Amino acid sequence: MKLVDSHCHVNSSQFEEDREEVFKRASEELEFIVNIGNDLPSSEDTIKYSEKYPFVYGVVGVHPTDISTYNDEVEKRLEELAHHEKAVAIGEIGLDYYWMEDEKEVQKEGFRRQMRLAEKVNLPVVIHSRDAMEDTLTILNEFPNVKGVFHCYPGSFESAMNVPSGYVFGVGGVLTFKNARKTVEFIEKIDLSRVVIETDSPYLTPVPFRGKRNEPIYVKYVAEKIAEIKNIPVEEVIKVTTENAKRIYNIK
Ligand SMILES: [Zn+2]
C-alpha cells in the first residue's frame, strides 16, 4: 500500500509550468490524491483534473477567505459538481479569523450553507479553521450527520476531543517544523485511526524542503515524522492513514 495526499491544490497557479509532471510523480508514488477547490472556478478545475487522471479525486467548495464570491448561483453549480462521480467532499469550507477578508457573520453564513449542502448531497466536508476554533466547533456540532476532515488541524489534543467523532484530522508539513511542539504533542496522543496525511501543496512544505514549493509526493516526510514520534514502523503509518483517507472520502 502507498501513501495518499488527502489535501492538495495542484490546480493552483504555482503549478502552471509543470502541472503534468507533478501529477505524473504523484501517480507513480501515491495511491491517490485529493485536489481541493477554494472557489467555484478552482472547483470546476479540480473536477476536470479528476476526469483526466484516475488517481485524482476532487473536493468542491468556497474557502472562508473567498466567501464573498458565494451566492445562490454558485451554490447551485457546486451542487451539480458535487454529484460528479469523482467528487468526494465539500470543501474547503470553514472560518478564517486570521486573514478576516470578510466579517465573521458573513463567513459563518457561508460555512453553514455549505454544511447544509454537504448534508443534502450526502458527502463529507473538508474544514479550514484559523483562529476560530470555538465558532468552528459550534457549527460542526449543529450538523451531527456530517463527517469529514479537519484539515491542517491547528489545535491541541485536548481541543481535538471536542471535535465530533466523525471527523479525522489532517496533518501536514507543519509537523516537521522546529516550532511544532503542539502538533507533535497532538500526534503523540491521538489515535492513528483519526489521522490523515496531507500536504496542502503548494503551501506548508515539510522539512527538508521548507520554504520551497510543496507537492503531493512530500507526504512521505510527514509519514516518517509520525512514525518517529509514535515510535512505530512507517509501513504502519502508511497503511492506517491510507485506509483512513479511503474510509472518510469513501474511495474504494
Ligand atoms: Zn488547503
Side-chain angles (χ1 to χ4, degrees):
M1 198 177 273
K2 296 183 202 165
L3 278 168
V4 160
D5 186 355
S6 66
H7 187 121
C8 59
H9 303 274
V10 184
N11 41 1
S12 149
S13 61
Q14 292 190 47
F15 293 103
E16 213 57 73
E17 304 278 297
D18 61 346
R19 187 173 288 115
E20 299 293 316
E21 285 146 58
V22 171
F23 276 132
K24 185 165 181 289
R25 284 195 288 274
S27 76
E28 286 162 359
E29 287 199 31
L30 305 178
E31 197 102 347
F32 60 86
I33 67 176
V34 182
N35 201 41
I36 315 265
N38 58 282
D39 57 9
L40 184 57
S42 60
S43 297
E44 300 269 7
D45 282 348
T46 198
I47 293 300
K48 259 183 241 151
Y49 293 126
S50 76
E51 285 173 341
K52 189 168 175 193
Y53 302 100
F55 63 95
V56 177
Y57 293 85
V59 171
V60 300
V62 178
H63 191 282
T65 58
D66 296 303
I67 206 68
S68 62
T69 65
Y70 199 85
N71 56 39
D72 292 345
E73 227 170 291
V74 168
E75 186 169 283
K76 200 166 150 262
R77 181 61 187 147
L78 285 177
E79 185 173 342
E80 287 166 7
L81 291 174
H83 287 298
H84 191 280
E85 57 172 0
K86 297 291 289 293
V88 293
I90 301 294
E92 56 184 288
I93 60 174
L95 303 171
D96 194 317
Y97 296 166
Y98 180 80
W99 293 107
M100 196 70 91
E101 307 271 344
D102 292 287
E103 293 299 321
K104 290 182 181 181
E105 290 312 314
V106 177
Q107 293 194 35
K108 284 188 204 171
E109 198 205 328
F111 184 17
R112 284 194 172 100
R113 286 181 66 172
Q114 293 182 91
M115 288 294 287
R116 249 174 255 133
L117 174 62
E119 197 166 32
K120 184 176 175 191
V121 297
N122 197 23
L123 282 180
V125 290
V126 175
I127 301 298
H128 169 103
S129 176
R130 192 159 181 198
D131 292 353
M133 187 59 89
E134 219 183 295
D135 287 351
T136 303
L137 289 175
T138 301
I139 293 175
L140 293 187
N141 281 299
E142 290 169 7
F143 297 88
N145 300 323
V146 179
K147 297 173 178 180
V149 180
F150 204 122
H151 145 67
C152 195
Y153 182 68
S156 63
F157 174 77
E158 285 67 30
S159 70
M161 293 301 99
N162 296 319
V163 174
S165 60
Y167 285 80
V168 297
F169 300 96
V171 176
V174 170
L175 184 66
T176 67
F177 297 173
K178 272 207 176 72
N179 55 357
R181 207 173 53 94
K182 192 162 71 170
T183 312
V184 168
E185 257 178 52
F186 169 73
I187 285 296
E188 273 168 5
K189 294 180 181 169
I190 194 81
D191 196 281
L192 199 56
S193 67
R194 294 198 67 192
V195 175
V196 292
I197 298 180
E198 62 180 30
T199 59
D200 206 19
S201 303
Y203 317 107
L204 298 174
T205 314
V207 174
F209 297 111
R210 190 174 181 183
K212 303 210 174 76
R213 186 188 70 178
N214 204 356
E215 72 167 86
I217 56 172
Y218 293 168
V219 283
K220 60 176 170 254
Y221 300 105
V222 181
E224 282 165 9
K225 191 74 191 176
I226 293 174
E228 182 193 314
I229 293 166
K230 284 188 138 355
N231 197 20
I232 54 175
V234 72
E235 291 74 21
E236 189 182 338
V237 176
I238 295 169
K239 181 173 177 286
V240 176
T241 58
T242 292
E243 279 169 358
N244 294 344
K246 285 183 174 174
R247 186 179 68 243
I248 199 80
Y249 286 129
N250 201 15
I251 291 171
K252 297 286 175 284

